[in-house]
Amino acid sequence: MIDFHSHILPGIDDGSAGVQQSLRMLKALREQKVAIVCATSHFYATERSPESYLRRRDYAYEKLCEALPEDAPVIFRGAEVLYYPGISHMKQLHELCLEGTNLLLLEMPFTAWSRHMVQEVRDLAHSGEFTILLAHIERYYFQQPVSTWDAFLEDGIYMQSNADFFLPFRARRKAIRLLREGRIHVLGTDCHNDTSRAPRMAEARDMIRRKLGEQTLADIDRTGNHLLRELLEPPADVNP
């Protein structure tokens, strides 16, 4: 099981406050059968350069790795990159993809999007240089016309939903409908701590299992494995 969206790294954004909290979050994820955690700390181009961000991220990752127990989930470094006009021209955008892949977790503004914004995201997808994964789509899905989402799906853009979307009674119907319609591809906990925003992947998957069955969970896992195939598939043997 893969958590595609987390703020597990200590002291880098509004997520984990320190190594011990990160360890508690990882323990909870392990108990929920999560095997891989994508560490996607916030990246805001208006606040720091990619170089500065990557230095801070890698330092936090190394500090956490020093304390990891042997049975901890595998952590892959990435970023939750906030969209801004002109993002397609960022020279170092590739360095913000999930390590070892071209998968870019892109956070969009929580408002109605302009045609220019939509087109720029589509241009990134059309470039062939990135696989776009939109973060927590439930936060802005219903502010956009359905035609925008149809276009994104045609472009091969993937959608990530937070596990918590499936838990509140009022939101649950919407979450199940979007998943049934193929508008949610993978899940993330978007966990920030081990209290108010703790990981709840197991609860979400239990709800999906009850409403849509085991096959839907298998489809989610299959899509996740496909997105991380460069990381999960062993390199081919090369005979000398």
Side-chain angles (χ1 to χ4, degrees), residues 4 133-139 141-142 149 153 157-166 171-188 201 204 208 212 216-217 219-221 223-224 227:
F4 273 91
L133 176 61
L134 293 186
H136 43 53
I137 66 162
E138 66 273 13
R139 296 188 181 178
Y141 184 93
F142 300 99
W149 299 104
L153 290 172
I157 294 173
Y158 290 85
M159 318 296 176
Q160 175 257 315
S161 166
N162 283 357
D164 285 357
F165 185 33
F166 289 85
R172 189 181 305 154
R173 289 185 180 181
K174 295 178 181 179
I176 294 297
R177 176 170 61 84
L178 292 182
L179 182 56
R180 183 186 291 117
E181 293 175 353
R183 296 173 184 270
I184 294 173
H185 300 109
V186 294
L187 302 179
M201 185 71 84
I208 293 169
L212 297 177
T216 299
L217 292 176
D219 292 340
I220 291 171
D221 293 339
T223 300
L227 290 175

Side-chain angles (χ1 to χ4, degrees), residues 191-204:
C191 57
H192 280 60
N193 53 49
D194 60 329
T195 53
S196 60
R197 298 186 69 178
R200 301 173 72 188
M201 185 71 84
E203 294 176 66

Side-chain angles (χ1 to χ4, degrees), residues 214-235:
E214 197 69 43
Q215 184 58 49
T216 299
L217 292 176
D219 292 340
I220 291 171
D221 293 339
R222 186 178 303 109
T223 300
N225 289 336
H226 171 74
L227 290 175
L228 300 191
R229 60 193 179 278
E230 297 97 333
L231 297 172
L232 302 180
E233 294 176 359

Side-chain angles (χ1 to χ4, degrees), residues 37-97:
V37 179
C38 300
T40 51
S41 305
H42 287 292
F43 173 79
Y44 303 128
T46 56
E47 293 186 3
R48 63 182 68 253
S49 67
E51 296 93 340
S52 173
Y53 170 84
L54 292 170
R55 283 195 301 269
R56 294 185 72 242
R57 186 196 68 181
D58 292 347
Y59 175 78
Y61 172 76
E62 290 165 7
K63 294 294 290 184
L64 179 57
C65 285
E66 291 173 0
L68 285 180
E70 291 184 1
D71 60 349
V74 175
I75 301 172
F76 293 131
R77 286 165 287 183
E80 180 184 2
V81 181
L82 180 64
Y83 171 88
Y84 68 92
I87 190 173
S88 58
H89 302 295
M90 183 194 293
K91 293 181 179 179
Q92 293 163 297
L93 191 58
H94 288 93
E95 297 180 40
L96 300 174
C97 291

